[in-house]
Amino acid sequence: QVQLVESGGGLVQAGGSLRLSCTASGSIFSINAMAWYRQAPGKQRELVATITSDGSTNYADSVKGRFTISRVNAKNTVYLQMNSLKPEDTAVYYCNADLAPYSGTSYFPYWGRGTQVTVSS
């Protein structure tokens, strides 16, 4: 069984920083892309940033220049460094991994349960 567990959320003032972590555990053969999504109250879940297994990254326009996604493949862990936070960054942040649990199986998207990030003005 595969689990993705996020940590690092919390309450921060506008202009501050937070670092989110997400570690995948359990039966893992291989992980392709990993990503962070977020969902604000009353809004749809949106993609924040992605990173491939070889380190290529992509960001939503709203976070470019402020957020940095990184990963340590040996630890099955992805990070999201969030700087210059704004109140509009307030949301539940979810980790996502495109993962094959066993050799010869297909890759499927797995999700964490989310971590709350609240930015006060």
Side-chain angles (χ1 to χ4, degrees):
Q1 187 174 359
V2 176
Q3 280 190 316
L4 272 64
V5 178
E6 302 100 335
S7 62
L11 173 64
V12 65
Q13 287 188 332
S17 299
L18 283 174
R19 188 190 193 212
L20 306 183
S21 301
C22 170
T23 298
S25 63
S27 177
I28 299 171
F29 172 70
S30 177
I31 303 177
N32 279 341
M34 301 185 81
W36 288 96
Y37 287 74
R38 67 186 180 186
Q39 187 166 19
K43 294 188 177 182
Q44 289 189 330
R45 189 173 297 189
E46 63 173 357
L47 178 64
V48 175
T50 62
I51 184 166
T52 63
S53 57
D54 62 359
S56 297
T57 60
N58 192 34
Y59 296 92
D61 288 343
S62 59
V63 306
K64 281 182 181 176
R66 300 188 298 122
F67 291 10
T68 302
I69 189 171
S70 61
R71 65 190 281 178
V72 177
N73 291 333
K75 295 183 178 181
N76 294 328
T77 298
V78 62
Y79 304 95
L80 186 68
Q81 178 66 43
M82 305 185 293
N83 299 327
S84 302
L85 282 161
K86 305 175 181 180
E88 51 264 43
D89 294 317
T90 295
V92 177
Y93 284 70
Y94 296 91
C95 173
N96 170 273
D98 191 33
L99 185 155
Y102 303 100
S103 175
T105 60
S106 300
Y107 288 82
F108 290 99
Y110 289 81
W111 293 89
R113 293 188 174 185
T115 185
Q116 176 70 46
V117 171
T118 302
V119 184
S120 63
S121 57

